[in-house]
Amino acid sequence: YSHASENIGNLRGPRYWEAMTAVYRECHRVLRPEGIMVLVLKGFTRDSKYVNLPAQTAELVESLGFQKFDHWARELWSLSFWRTLQKRNNPDGWDERLRFEDVLAFRKESEKL
């Protein structure tokens, strides 16, 4: 991508998922059988609703031939500036899952003989 606005992290909806599918396919292509890919992801809110990016990503990655073999939820030491504001400005709409990041470990499935 040539412009910051086209950075994958700035894409939304189908464009984001298309780009990430290409990234994960390439990871699958270059890993040897039984190779490991570890992702660190955080959910977020959009329109005051929690979006479970880790679960959505796991579903995509598994559909591409990876098997999830481990998962950790790590509590963040401190919240980002934006999450701190969000919690302060909307305490009733705060979702405690925003205090965590997920570490997901996947293994490339063995090549079928």
Side-chain angles (χ1 to χ4, degrees), residues 8-95:
I8 292 174
N10 295 327
L11 300 177
R12 289 188 176 191
R15 289 187 67 216
Y16 170 80
W17 291 109
E18 278 178 32
M20 291 312 299
T21 297
V23 168
Y24 297 136
R25 275 197 178 122
E26 184 64 9
C27 291
H28 191 274
R29 187 186 72 76
V30 300
L31 279 173
R32 63 178 173 73
E34 303 298 319
I36 294 172
M37 176 176 71
V38 176
L39 304 175
V40 180
L41 303 159
K42 292 189 277 190
F44 60 94
T45 56
R46 177 156 296 135
D47 300 325
S48 299
K49 293 181 183 163
Y50 181 77
V51 177
N52 194 340
L53 182 65
Q56 292 174 356
T57 300
E59 186 177 319
L60 168 64
V61 168
E62 289 173 327
S63 78
L64 297 174
F66 286 95
Q67 293 177 320
K68 184 168 72 172
F69 71 88
D70 217 340
H71 173 210
W72 305 273
R74 186 176 87 94
E75 187 168 5
L76 301 170
W77 285 59
S78 63
L79 297 175
S80 70
F81 173 76
W82 298 110
R83 289 192 180 194
T84 300
L85 279 180
Q86 181 181 10
K87 185 175 183 179
R88 185 181 318 143
N89 294 337
N90 188 12
D92 293 333
W94 174 255
D95 191 308

